[in-house]
């Protein structure tokens, strides 16, 4: 299976963001990818005051990526978008996955919300405008189980253990808009830890660069194997990173170093 992670800089112009995403997905398909992954909030990353009107899963955002998946004939993980929430003040931060025919294969609502106060560095209160999801999701991609998560979820290993355990996930996906301040020290180490401890491939697609009013995203989108080795990493620009996943290698690692089987629960 060949996979691609797409790295982009979404801003306030939703049509421009979608056009950029389509361009990267096309590049991924041209490179022979079976599955391509977009970052968190591919629809819009800008001031809360200009945020797009939230939509249902089958709204414009979903329809756009369903069409792209069908046209390109690849699996598309459409990052995340502003989904209609449970009340007027809250949306859901939701990922959608489309199969090669453009059918919706899965939807996942971000469970862990980024409520952080690091004086002078990060002040973020996601739960003021976003309601948490409550359901871990694993989706079958051409016979390979893919576990879903979004950005801050990365800090909660119990979610990934559940995806790998109950869901039998072999791939874990992390669409993100990871802050540069925390990303510098935590992004790669957390991604590689999730890969090693769950003996899974990890596909991490991040936003890159500045977004109004005051957010800088770390980028460094990467694909990691179950041994924790980085197979591909995007440079600091709008681009894709591509890697071939070897499921036999995953089984060999699980057989030779059976840490999942050696657990004492
Ligand atoms: O966990 C972090 O440091 C960043 C998380 C984040 O930016 C997000 O969830 O939007």
């Amino acid at each position: 299976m060949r996979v691609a992670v797409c790295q982009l800089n979404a801003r306030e112009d939703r049509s421009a963001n979608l056009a950029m995403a389509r361009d990267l997905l096309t590049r991924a398909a041209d490179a022979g990818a079976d599955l391509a992954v977009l970052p968190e909030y591919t629809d819009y990353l800008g001031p809360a005051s200009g945020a797009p009107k939230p939509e249902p899963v089958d709204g414009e955002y979903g329809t756009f990526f369903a069409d792209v998946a069908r046209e390109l004939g690849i699996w598309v993980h459409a990052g995340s978008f502003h989904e209609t929430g449970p009340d007027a003040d809250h949306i859901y931060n939701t990922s959608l996955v489309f199969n090669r025919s453009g059918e919706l294969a899965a939807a996942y609502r971000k469970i862990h919300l980024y409520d952080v106060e690091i004086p002078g560095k990060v002040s973020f209160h996601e739960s003021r405008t976003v309601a948490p999801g409550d359901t871990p999701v694993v989706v079958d991609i051409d016979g390979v189980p893919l576990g879903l998560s979004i950005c801050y979820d990365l800090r909660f290993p119990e979610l990934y253990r559940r995806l790998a355990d109950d869901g039998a996930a072999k791939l874990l996906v992390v669409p993100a808009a990871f802050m540069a301040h925390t990303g510098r020290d935590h992004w790669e180490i957390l991604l590689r830890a999730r890969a090693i401890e769950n003996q899974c491939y990890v596909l991490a697609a991040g936003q890159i660069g500045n977004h109004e009013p005051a957010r800088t995203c770390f980028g460094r989108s990467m694909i990691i194997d179950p041994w924790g080795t980085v197979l591909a990493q995007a440079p600091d620009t709008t681009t894709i990173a591509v890697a071939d996943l070897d499921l036999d290698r995953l089984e060999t690692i699980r057989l030779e170093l059976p840490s999942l089987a050696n657990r004492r629960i």
Side-chain angles (χ1 to χ4, degrees), residues 40 110 114 124 126 150-152 155 177-179 182-183 186 215:
E40 182 182 28
K110 186 179 187 180
Y114 191 45
F124 212 86
E126 191 173 17
I150 300 176
C151 204
Y152 190 52
R155 294 182 182 275
F178 219 83
M179 301 271 185
T182 51
H186 299 166
R215 183 166 177 155

Side-chain angles (χ1 to χ4, degrees), residues 91-122:
I91 63 156
Y92 291 116
N93 181 350
T94 303
S95 287
L96 303 176
V97 180
F98 296 97
N99 68 17
R100 297 175 191 272
S101 310
E103 291 154 350
L104 182 69
Y108 165 74
R109 293 173 174 156
K110 186 179 187 180
I111 291 176
H112 301 94
L113 301 182
Y114 191 45
D115 288 338
V116 176
E117 197 61 56
I118 308 173
K121 303 289 186 195
V122 180

